[in-house]
Amino acid sequence: MMQIQHLNKSFESKQVLHDISFTGQTGHVIGLVGANGAGKTTLMKAILGLISAQGKITIDGHPSSFDHHEILKEVGALIEYPSIYPFMSGRDHLKLFAKGPNQSQRIQSVINDLHLTHYIDRPAKKYSLGMKQKLGIAMAILNNPKLVILDEPMNGLDPQANKELRLLIKSKSQTGTTFLISSHILSELQKIADELLILDHGQLIQETTMKDLLAASVHYLILSTDQDELARQVLKAAGYQVLNDPHLKLQIPPKFNLEPILKELTKHHITVLDIQHQDGGLEDSVLKLLHQDQVLTEAAK
């Protein structure tokens, strides 16, 4: 659905995108993460033809650029903040953006999907941040585009609205819509993304699947014993990586063998009451990669 090849972008003398290449498969949800200023919004704007850039952008087999982007009729987007006319109702915004046949049916469908019914006919100037955000998402998906690009779509949404948006994105991806989503709320992105692009200082430092990234993440073991403080000392002395945590928490490698730990504790007459495994989440994995990239960058200097 989407292929980006050797994309570069500079603003005057500052280069903000460095030779970025990746592929987005049809029906996949692609997460785009990185620190503020990493180049995420610039990359999205370049794909949408909102700014010029050097490189090749192909969407659904068709080339797209700043001055040649017919294929963008098949793309929906919400970048930074939704463009809202304060004195128009939400429904009028959707009427303004609707294209093609069955417009009334599609408008009502997106109102129902995003639970906009109780305020859709009010002037948009009376909308909260979350209401405006949901209207912006509604406008992005209204015409059933093949590709949807969303920049921080969870901003301003409450937990229930976040859940509803996740379910909607997964439902649409399963019927063939491709999503490129930038978000700082990594816990939400972890629940929906199939693939992940990690940007740092305008460079794509990692392109991976969510499954592979989480499989390679840090793993923890949380123990509860009848003598936690003694158990902490015993395990530290035995060379285990015991974290400075209120719980008795150890960092462990994947496929870890518990038996040596249990033997060590039993030898000191410590009874194990409970054992829990915990995997590091997306946030831990991303921060680790960004730290590694920073260390390499500093070393190169």
Side-chain angles (χ1 to χ4, degrees):
M1 176 53 64
M2 173 174 52
Q3 188 171 29
I4 311 301
Q5 295 174 289
H6 307 295
L7 198 67
N8 291 276
K9 174 62 183 175
S10 296
F11 291 106
E12 297 181 348
S13 61
K14 183 178 180 181
Q15 188 168 354
V16 292
L17 297 179
H18 300 262
D19 197 35
I20 291 179
S21 299
F22 67 90
T23 299
Q25 301 297 326
T26 300
H28 283 207
V29 179
I30 304 158
L32 180 61
V33 300
N36 289 335
K40 303 185 299 296
T41 300
T42 301
L43 174 59
M44 290 179 154
K45 286 182 175 180
I47 294 171
L48 289 166
L50 298 175
I51 57 175
S52 61
Q54 293 73 49
K56 186 176 180 181
I57 300 169
T58 306
I59 298 173
D60 197 24
H62 299 272
S64 180
S65 64
F66 180 67
D67 52 6
H68 181 79
H69 44 249
E70 279 295 303
I71 187 59
L72 293 182
K73 293 177 181 178
E74 301 290 343
V75 179
L78 171 61
I79 299 293
E80 294 182 324
Y81 302 100
S83 298
I84 301 294
Y85 298 99
F87 296 100
M88 286 175 58
S89 71
R91 191 183 300 276
D92 286 337
H93 279 83
L94 295 174
K95 288 179 180 178
L96 185 64
F97 276 79
K99 301 174 184 176
N102 305 317
Q103 292 184 12
S104 296
Q105 182 180 341
R106 283 187 284 109
I107 287 171
Q108 191 56 50
S109 178
V110 80
I111 289 171
N112 295 339
D113 286 343
L114 284 161
H115 304 273
L116 309 177
T117 305
H118 73 282
Y119 58 84
I120 194 64
D121 293 307
R122 297 182 201 166
K125 67 177 183 178
K126 297 182 179 180
Y127 286 13
S128 67
L129 173 61
M131 291 175 182
K132 291 177 181 177
Q133 193 75 354
K134 289 172 76 173
L135 178 58
I137 295 167
M139 291 188 287
I141 66 174
L142 173 63
N143 294 310
N144 295 320
K146 295 179 178 179
L147 171 65
V148 178
I149 296 179
L150 301 175
D151 188 11
E152 301 291 346
M154 285 88 172
N155 274 0
L157 301 188
D158 60 35
Q160 181 61 33
N162 267 330
K163 181 179 179 180
E164 291 164 357
L165 178 58
R166 286 200 316 268
L167 294 175
L168 180 60
I169 289 170
K170 291 303 288 184
S171 173
K172 287 194 167 294
S173 69
Q174 287 164 5
T175 59
T177 304
T178 304
F179 286 84
L180 177 63
I181 301 175
S182 164
S183 180
H184 283 104
I185 308 175
L186 300 186
S187 59
E188 293 295 329
L189 201 57
Q190 181 176 337
K191 296 171 185 174
I192 56 174
D194 302 298
E195 291 144 25
L196 207 64
L197 306 172
I198 302 175
L199 286 185
D200 191 29
H201 296 95
Q203 295 182 320
L204 182 58
I205 63 169
Q206 183 87 359
E207 180 182 3
T208 183
T209 66
M210 183 67 73
K211 182 179 178 181
D212 286 346
L213 184 63
L214 294 178
S217 68
V218 177
H219 303 272
Y220 302 102
L221 189 69
I222 302 174
L223 299 173
S224 176
T225 74
D226 61 347
Q227 302 179 75
D228 279 357
E229 193 51 46
L230 176 59
R232 187 186 302 274
Q233 296 171 16
V234 165
L235 294 175
K236 278 185 178 180
Y240 291 100
Q241 190 171 348
V242 183
L243 303 185
N244 184 18
D245 190 272
H247 299 97
L248 182 53
K249 188 173 182 179
L250 288 70
Q251 185 173 325
I252 59 173
K255 299 181 180 178
F256 180 75
N257 184 3
L258 268 173
E259 189 175 352
I261 283 185
L262 298 178
K263 283 184 176 179
E264 190 69 30
L265 294 176
T266 301
K267 187 169 68 175
H268 290 80
H269 308 290
I270 299 171
T271 301
V272 176
L273 304 175
D274 187 44
I275 300 172
Q276 296 179 29
H277 287 269
Q278 185 182 82
D279 292 329
L282 177 59
E283 183 176 277
D284 289 340
S285 300
V286 169
L287 290 175
K288 181 180 177 182
L289 285 169
L290 292 174
H291 176 71
Q292 290 172 347
D293 186 62
Q294 183 179 2
V295 169
L296 290 171
T297 301
E298 291 297 325
K301 293 178 181 178

